[in-house]
Amino acid sequence: MSETWTVLSLLNWAAPYLEKHNSTSPRLDAELLLAKVLDCRRLDLYLRFDKPLAQTELQNFKELILGRRQGVPVAYLLGRKEFWSLEFIVNDAVLVPRPETEHLVEAALEFIKKNLPTGGPVLDIGTGCGNIILALAHSLAELTDFSGMGLDVRPQALKIARENARNLQIDTVTWHTSDLFQALNPETDKFDLIVSNPPYITSDDMQTLPPEVRCEPAAALHGGPDGLYFYRQISAQARTFLNPNGALIFEVGDGQAAAVKKILASNGYSAISTKYDLARCERVVIGRFLR
Ligand code: GLN
């Protein structure tokens, strides 16, 4: 890259380059990455189209573009991802929060507003960067009895989750390294709501993941041979930790809702319902533990 590159000429080079290398949003990717290098907002680039770039800026941009070319998700390159209109730190120790997971947050809020007007203890299993439980804590900040707990089997993930809690100034959530419920005490750890977006990709599909997804931790993606391992485990074990009339709310993969509803029913949950995402896929499955 020569010294005469400007913001505009660089974007006009980078966008088609990324398009050729399989980015589905090449211009946006290029703009976000250049805004990171220049430490400005994406829209500010439009006010600086003629600005020439320094050598170090060019070098930094080139490294990001090469990472993107290799399929590294933009969120990892930026080190952050927006979810529920909040900014989350992410790195390759955690799954990148997906927009469809906001439907799980919505379903959880709906359950709490209807059934727990002053809040209650909520558990998030496989919390990753903490996006789900922190979105809930943020939305429920007014409720006097809300408390959250985020569990993850990987301490590297919890490190990010804790950092996110600090950044968002949320102190109503505690974090524990735990393989599913293993670190909890069934006598004293009780919840009104348990939520989870567990790993749900089948062993076969793990072999053909797109490059972007392959950058994400396999432990956060792989749900066993049929993708349903964690739904079975969590449904069976959650009963010990749910308060009477509590609920278990899952995000599920495409086409998994029917199987997950069956798993919930066979574990004694009732009033089982689902919610659709914007692509009209059944994305969220809710079961009540009515006693
Ligand atoms: N709870 C996080 C999310 O929904 C991480 C989920 C996971 O690692 N499977 O984005």
Side-chain angles (χ1 to χ4, degrees):
M1 291 182 197
S2 87
E3 272 170 45
T4 55
W5 287 97
T6 62
V7 165
L8 184 60
S9 65
L10 204 53
L11 289 174
N12 286 342
W13 165 79
Y17 179 82
L18 290 180
E19 188 167 21
K20 235 187 292 161
H21 292 97
N22 301 323
S23 165
T24 50
S25 50
R27 178 81 188 191
L28 177 64
D29 293 1
E31 288 182 2
L32 288 167
L33 296 175
L34 189 53
K36 176 179 168 76
V37 167
L38 298 179
D39 195 20
C40 67
R41 290 175 313 165
R42 181 168 71 90
L43 294 179
D44 291 338
L45 296 174
Y46 288 76
L47 306 173
R48 308 181 183 190
F49 270 165
D50 296 328
K51 178 183 149 57
L53 276 99
Q55 269 313 320
T56 49
E57 291 169 336
L58 282 174
Q59 192 49 40
N60 293 343
F61 185 64
K62 195 170 153 193
E63 275 164 29
L64 293 175
I65 291 291
L66 288 179
R68 187 67 197 117
R69 181 201 156 141
Q70 284 157 11
V72 179
V74 175
Y76 287 164
L77 294 168
L78 298 176
R80 59 187 157 77
K81 175 76 185 176
E82 190 180 303
F83 178 84
W84 201 254
S85 301
L86 302 170
E87 187 160 298
F88 288 87
I89 298 169
V90 293
N91 66 14
D92 60 8
V94 296
L95 199 79
V96 177
R98 305 292 203 271
E100 56 267 31
T101 303
E102 296 188 343
H103 294 286
L104 169 57
V105 174
E106 261 162 23
L109 288 177
E110 203 176 294
F111 172 80
I112 291 169
K113 290 206 169 120
K114 229 195 220 146
N115 299 285
L116 305 163
T118 62
V122 179
L123 174 66
D124 176 21
I125 301 174
T127 196
C129 73
N131 52 319
I132 297 171
I133 194 73
L134 289 171
L136 290 174
H138 187 266
S139 300
L140 299 171
E142 314 280 278
L143 303 191
T144 45
D145 297 331
F146 172 84
S147 66
M149 186 186 284
L151 304 182
D152 204 290
V153 69
R154 290 163 305 128
Q156 321 86 285
L158 288 176
K159 189 168 165 260
I160 301 290
R162 286 197 177 94
E163 224 174 299
N164 280 318
R166 254 194 316 276
N167 280 352
L168 295 167
Q169 300 184 316
I170 290 171
D171 59 8
T172 49
V173 181
T174 57
W175 310 97
H176 304 278
T177 306
S178 181
D179 188 357
L180 298 179
F181 297 88
Q182 159 247 321
L184 301 188
N185 178 347
E187 301 304 319
T188 52
D189 292 315
K190 297 285 182 190
F191 303 91
D192 290 321
L193 173 62
I194 299 179
V195 295
S196 186
N197 174 23
Y200 54 59
I201 297 179
T202 65
S203 301
D204 279 352
D205 288 347
M206 286 298 290
Q207 305 306 315
T208 56
L209 294 176
E212 291 211 351
V213 183
R214 235 179 290 144
C215 292
E216 296 182 276
L221 298 169
H222 187 201
D226 65 355
L228 301 171
Y229 173 82
F230 290 102
Y231 297 110
R232 292 195 192 92
Q233 292 293 325
I234 295 171
S235 300
Q237 296 179 37
R239 300 185 304 177
T240 318
F241 297 93
L242 275 172
N243 283 328
N245 305 322
L248 175 56
I249 308 184
F250 284 128
E251 175 174 328
V252 300
D254 290 1
Q256 290 178 326
V260 173
K261 282 195 262 186
K262 252 194 215 143
I263 292 170
L264 284 172
S266 68
N267 280 288
Y269 296 82
S270 49
I272 297 165
S273 61
T274 59
K275 294 208 180 284
Y276 288 83
D277 68 13
L278 298 176
R280 302 295 300 150
C281 286
E282 279 184 298
R283 183 60 64 201
V284 177
V285 180
I286 304 153
R288 297 289 303 275
F289 201 56
L290 299 172
R291 272 183 280 179

